[in-house]
Each structure stands twice: as C-alpha cells, then as structure tokens.
Amino acid sequence: MEENQVIDTVDTGIVIFDREYSATYWNGWMAAHTQISENEILGRSLFDFFPKLKNPRFLRSCKAVFAFGNLAFFPQDPYGYLFSMKPVEWFRSEFKFMQQSCTIGPIRGEGKEIERLFVSIRDMTEEAAYKKKLVALTLNDELTGSYNRRFLMNFLEDELYRCRRYNRPFSVIMMDIDHFKKINDTCGHPFGDEVLKLFASTVVRNMRKSNRFARYGGEEFVCVLPETDSEGGVGFAEKIRKLIEELPLSYKQSQVKITSSFGVITYTDDINDIATLMKKVDDALYKAKESGRNRVVVAN
Amino acid sequence: MMIIPNSTEVPISEDEKDILQEVMNISFGQVAAELAEIIDVLVVLSVPNVTVVPGKDFQNYLSKKLKLSPPFNVIEQSFSGKLSGIAFLVFSSESGKNMVAILDEEGGEDGIQGIDQLEKETLMEIGNMLTGACVGKIAEQLDEVVYYTLPRVILNSSSSLIDLVDKDSVVILVKTEFQFADNDVSGFLFLITNQDSFQWLKEALHRYIEQF
C-alpha cells in the first residue's frame, strides 16, 4: 500500500500502542533513530525499552486520550523529549538526547471505541539549539558573561516565591566596585572593562553552583544565594571583599589596588516583593559606601 | 447596560439551548468521573451553566455578570472540524500554583525549573485535558470528531479577553467550577465558535434530540 510506504519513510516517528502500552506499530524512522527494529519491539511494552517513559505525566496523558479521544501534546518546550534517542548530529549537538515535539492521539476501532493510541515524534533538536542561543543572548551581559538584569529580576521573583512557599532562607548581595569612575578616568575604559571582567570572574569562581550572579548596571553586581542565611551571605561577601582587595592588578607597571563595597540582605517574611528587597539591599550598600567603602553592611 | 442572555440577538432558541445544556451535562458528568481516575484526586465538576452571548456583548458579560477581572491565567486552544472554534480556559492566578501543588509535589521542589515553567507545564496539561475532554465529549455526543492545536498558556494575563473575540462570533459560555481535592481550583471554560460552526451545532443538536 502506498500510504504504508509514506508512513514508513516520512521524517516523523510514528508509534502505535495498545492499552497495555505494547507496541503494535513502529515505523522506519523510529527504527532508524533508536536502533530498535520493528521485530524487536512489536508486542512488547514500550517501557521495556524506554523505562523513563513510565512517568505520571505520560501515563495521565495516555489515560486522558483513551477516555476523551483528545490529543495530548508534549512540545519540545517544556518537555524536551519523550523517547530517548541520540541526536542525528550527535557528534556536535549540545543535547545529549534528540529534542522532540510529540503528539498522542486516539485510534478508533470499528465500533468507534478507542483501542489504540499513536504518538508522532518530530525532531526539534536544531530548532531547540537556535532557541537556546537566542535565549542566552537575551539573558547574558555581553562584557562580563554573567547574567543580565532581566534574568536577575525573573530569578528573584521565582526565588521569592519559593522561599515564601517552602519557608526557606535566601540571601542577596549587592556589590559595587569602589571609585570605579576614577579607574576609568585614569587608566582608560579598556582597563576598566578588564576590571569588570576580573571582578565578575572572581565572584563566579568562588560562588556555589546554585548561586546566580548578574550585572545589575555599570559597576554594580548582584549575587543571589538560595538556601543561605545571613551568616552565610555575610561570610561570602567578606570572602569576595578580601579577594578583590588582593587582586594583583597593574597599569603601566604601577600597581593598582581596587576595593569593593557590599550590601547583604536575607529574606524575612515581611518582605513582600522584589522592589522592597532591592530597596533594602541598595540602602545597605549605600551605607557601606557612606561609612568608608571596602566593607560589608547588613540590611536591617 | 444589562445583558439579557436570551435577547433576540442571540441566534439560538430556548429549545436548542436546553438540548445544548443537556449535552453539556452528560459530557461533564463523564468528564468528572474519568478525570478523577486519571489525576488520581477527587475532582468535583459543578453542573455547567450554559449561556450563549453574541461576541459584541462578551466583555460586558464577563465583567458585569461574572465579575471576572484580570489578572488571570488563560489557556487558549483552537479546535477544528465541523465543530470548530477556540476554547478559553480562564483560571485565577492562584489556581495555577494550586494545581502545581496537586500534580507535581515531587517535581516542584527540585529547584532546577522555575516555578513559572512548572506552572505553565501543569496548566498546559490540565488545560489540554479539560478542553479536550469537554469539547471531545460534546463532539462525541453529536457524533463528530474534532482536531486540536497545541494549547497556548498565558500566565497572569492582564489584557482583556475581548480582544480575542470577533464581534460577529457567537460565544457559548460554559461556566463550570472545578474543585480538585481540598484545593480550590476553579475556572471558567468559554467556547467561541464562528457562525458556520454554530449553524452546524444547531443542526447537530436537533439530530441529537431526534434519536430519542
């Protein structure tokens, strides 16, 4: 039959399975990309070959399609993939598994009863890679490679919500390079840029993996420390303050010493929004500047 | 301005509306039972209240009668076939977070995903299920099959729904309250159809009642 040839060679994966999740059809595309032949998988449970598929969301979706005859969607964003398989260009893909957009739908028998389901699988790896690149461009600061303000504000919103819901601590450090304008004026902007980069890399190298570091503006940076109490926040700020002070910088053979100031805030339940949080930590940083710079001040 | 749902501008008769209400009742009854089994929590679906309003009165109806104002989470999904149109599921902003708590207790605390992302996933799944179930069951009662597009989730939408509704369209307003276990997750379902499809629906409703 002509249509069988098409279904077998079309650049879309087609899988059909019954109520026991046993495969009853496995097209050529699936065989080619999974290295599992039709003979091997027919009549056997999909979960024998793809154990991760047996997750609540997939099972719920299948039950719903059996019950309602609707379509269930697993778009690449947010789901990534349903059937784990290598990307076509595995040797240069940044994804370990092929990114897929999948749709599950009903197949009715003679009596209009839904007897089986199909899944169609489209390869979205290339599109996902482009999207990832574009997203990175909108979330990163070009000069320092750290996150930008847009990312920071979104991350803070999430973090604030998480802390309120699970009643967990988190701290935020706002930091600023002292007399940065003077550095720029005396040593020139290219040198100033190097200082910014060095400052950013010093923080990033020393922070925890779960922390997020962003350029807030000019020479101002913010570090978010999830699961960190006030003591931990101040400790980290102090560590960075000392490291910055000791940076071996020189301009035209003469040593340049830079220092930085820090405001630290730890979430308490009277902080209702990000604006309040940022205002408080900004005030603390201002106090650090006022009282002589090169120091850490805790917000009250 | 007072909106009278049964005003002469609405191209549906009292009889037709009664049949539509009955189709909805049967559909939703089945949906509730099956949903409960699928998501494994008790689901209570209130008896749907069916109202048909002309597109141009939709906004007024929303704000005056339902007292529904932004922000809310909207899940938008198109369906096509003889019964075609757009389904909007509108939930309060808190509902999304409550749903996450019901479905994804294990996934909600991994700290990798943003809460917005998780909320979006959950709303997409539940929204797709509810729309598919309701539209699908109605279509099934009327012996038709419908095709769906990927649902679109709009979090904390503050824009008015009126922009999405063509003034010449007919809005079949199905108001139902969902309750999931002990969590209050309530929402409204709106089905918006075009004139052609509405005509088909009316004919299908007559065919439906003739079989009894």
Side-chain angles (χ1 to χ4, degrees):
Chain A
M1 288 244 283
E2 275 181 357
E3 56 263 43
N4 286 350
Q5 285 182 40
V6 175
I7 293 169
D8 217 35
T9 51
V10 75
D11 63 343
T12 298
I14 307 274
V15 178
I16 300 177
F17 57 93
D18 60 19
R19 283 182 182 268
E20 268 69 55
Y21 299 93
S22 291
T24 63
Y25 181 77
W26 189 256
N27 81 340
W29 189 94
M30 289 303 288
H33 289 89
T34 60
Q35 315 288 322
I36 299 167
S37 72
E38 199 181 5
N39 286 340
E40 275 175 89
I41 200 166
L42 288 195
R44 292 190 52 190
S45 167
L46 294 177
F47 306 138
D48 291 350
F49 295 85
F50 302 93
K52 279 198 187 141
L53 201 56
K54 199 172 184 177
N55 65 72
R57 203 184 292 271
F58 179 75
L59 294 174
R60 272 201 304 267
S61 298
C62 291
K63 280 187 196 166
V65 178
F66 270 123
F68 308 125
N70 62 330
L71 296 180
F73 300 96
F74 285 82
Q76 189 275 326
D77 178 17
Y79 300 106
Y81 61 90
L82 271 187
F83 291 86
S84 54
M85 50 183 96
K86 270 187 186 168
V88 180
E89 299 193 315
W90 53 271
F91 45 89
R92 67 164 174 211
S93 179
E94 58 181 302
F95 293 102
K96 200 172 159 208
F97 296 106
M98 179 199 285
Q99 299 296 295
Q100 305 160 351
S101 271
C102 304
T103 304
I104 305 172
I107 300 178
R108 292 167 202 270
E110 297 291 318
K112 294 209 170 176
E113 280 292 300
I114 299 168
E115 292 173 347
R116 289 171 191 168
L117 303 187
F118 73 84
V119 193
S120 67
I121 299 124
R122 274 195 305 139
D123 182 357
M124 300 294 285
T125 312
E126 228 173 294
E127 286 84 347
Y130 282 131
K131 195 176 163 188
K132 217 172 151 183
K133 247 180 236 167
L134 284 175
V135 169
L137 282 174
T138 63
L139 297 180
N140 289 307
D141 170 57
E142 207 181 345
L143 179 69
T144 62
S146 49
Y147 285 113
N148 64 16
R149 191 177 177 135
R150 181 186 299 152
F151 171 88
L152 174 75
M153 296 324 262
N154 283 335
F155 186 76
L156 280 172
E157 285 288 349
D158 285 357
E159 201 49 38
L160 186 68
Y161 172 74
R162 208 194 312 273
C163 289
R164 293 168 76 93
R165 182 161 160 203
Y166 300 113
N167 198 19
R168 285 179 168 157
F170 88 104
S171 295
V172 175
I173 305 173
M174 191 181 271
M175 46 195 106
D176 188 294
I177 302 171
D178 295 331
H179 298 300
F180 187 70
K181 195 180 174 305
K182 220 172 96 189
I183 300 169
N184 261 339
D185 288 348
T186 47
C187 310
H189 284 274
F191 184 81
D193 285 353
E194 287 308 311
V195 171
L196 289 171
K197 280 198 241 177
L198 198 58
F199 183 89
S201 63
T202 305
V203 179
V204 171
R205 217 175 321 124
N206 286 283
M207 71 185 194
R208 276 197 221 149
K209 217 177 160 185
S210 60
N211 295 359
R212 293 290 180 275
F213 179 72
R215 188 172 176 194
Y216 193 60
E219 68 273 24
E220 215 168 39
F221 296 88
V222 170
C223 190
V224 186
L225 302 89
E227 304 291 332
T228 307
D229 59 14
S230 182
E231 204 182 321
V234 172
F236 182 67
E238 267 301 332
K239 182 179 174 185
I240 298 298
R241 191 190 62 78
K242 284 187 194 127
L243 285 169
I244 297 299
E245 203 177 30
E246 289 157 9
L247 282 179
L249 274 167
S250 61
Y251 179 70
K252 288 189 178 166
Q253 270 90 53
S254 60
Q255 208 190 344
V256 179
K257 207 179 148 185
I258 59 166
T259 59
S260 47
S261 302
F262 301 78
V264 182
I265 190 163
T266 302
Y267 167 75
T268 46
D269 54 17
D270 61 319
I271 298 171
N272 288 316
D273 51 43
I274 298 302
T276 312
L277 182 101
M278 293 311 276
K279 170 86 174 62
K280 285 190 169 193
V281 73
D282 194 38
D283 288 347
L285 174 60
Y286 182 76
K287 265 185 211 156
K289 294 268 179 198
E290 279 289 279
S291 53
R293 295 186 171 85
N294 194 19
R295 65 194 61 204
V296 177
V297 170
V298 181
N300 46 28
Chain B
M1 187 183 123
M2 226 346 237
I3 301 294
I4 305 152
N6 303 323
S7 77
T8 48
E9 293 178 70
V10 180
I12 188 168
S13 70
E14 261 318 284
D15 280 353
E16 286 163 347
K17 215 190 114 198
D18 285 347
I19 308 168
L20 183 61
Q21 176 78 53
E22 192 187 315
V23 170
M24 297 280 185
N25 291 355
I26 295 168
S27 305
F28 275 54
Q30 295 175 358
V31 167
E34 285 171 310
L35 263 183
E37 205 219 317
I38 291 163
I39 22 187
D40 211 21
V41 284
L42 186 68
V43 183
V44 183
L45 270 180
S46 72
V47 176
N49 184 308
V50 181
T51 314
V52 181
V53 291
K56 62 184 173 58
D57 296 337
F58 183 55
Q59 174 66 16
N60 222 316
Y61 189 87
L62 281 187
S63 54
K64 296 259 167 66
K65 258 212 132 119
L66 299 183
K67 306 215 180 329
L68 192 66
S69 52
F72 28 62
N73 293 325
V74 181
I75 301 131
E76 184 194 323
Q77 189 170 25
S78 301
F79 51 95
S80 53
K82 280 186 179 139
L83 178 63
S84 70
I86 307 171
F88 289 105
L89 266 162
V90 181
F91 293 103
S92 71
S93 286
E94 306 88 66
S95 291
K97 296 190 169 64
N98 290 340
M99 274 193 247
V100 173
I102 298 167
L103 284 195
D104 275 295
E105 284 157 87
E106 74 290 349
E109 296 178 58
D110 60 8
I112 299 162
Q113 284 175 313
I115 197 73
D116 271 9
Q117 184 75 350
L118 194 60
E119 200 182 328
K120 239 179 172 162
E121 280 180 34
T122 307
L123 279 166
M124 188 182 275
E125 185 190 339
I126 294 286
N128 185 58
M129 218 179 264
L130 285 174
T131 313
C134 296
V135 175
K137 279 290 168 195
I138 295 163
E140 194 183 297
Q141 300 287 323
L142 303 174
D143 218 12
E144 256 306 312
V145 174
V146 225
Y147 304 90
Y148 308 86
T149 61
L150 189 67
R152 219 157 61 90
V153 179
I154 309 154
L155 289 186
N156 294 319
S157 164
S158 53
S159 69
S160 130
L161 282 175
I162 187 70
D163 305 336
L164 306 164
V165 177
D166 181 0
K167 285 195 168 34
D168 294 329
S169 62
V170 180
V171 182
I172 302 172
L173 206 58
V174 185
K175 180 189 158 189
T176 187
E177 200 154 328
F178 311 96
Q179 202 177 335
F180 289 61
D182 299 328
N183 297 267
D184 271 323
V185 175
S186 56
F188 298 97
L189 172 69
F190 306 108
L191 302 178
I192 297 166
T193 59
N194 57 23
Q195 290 287 4
D196 288 350
S197 180
F198 191 67
Q199 202 53 45
W200 173 85
L201 180 64
K202 291 212 294 179
E203 285 160 24
L205 288 173
H206 285 290
R207 275 200 305 278
Y208 173 79
I209 205 73
E210 272 160 22
Q211 52 175 320
F212 298 107

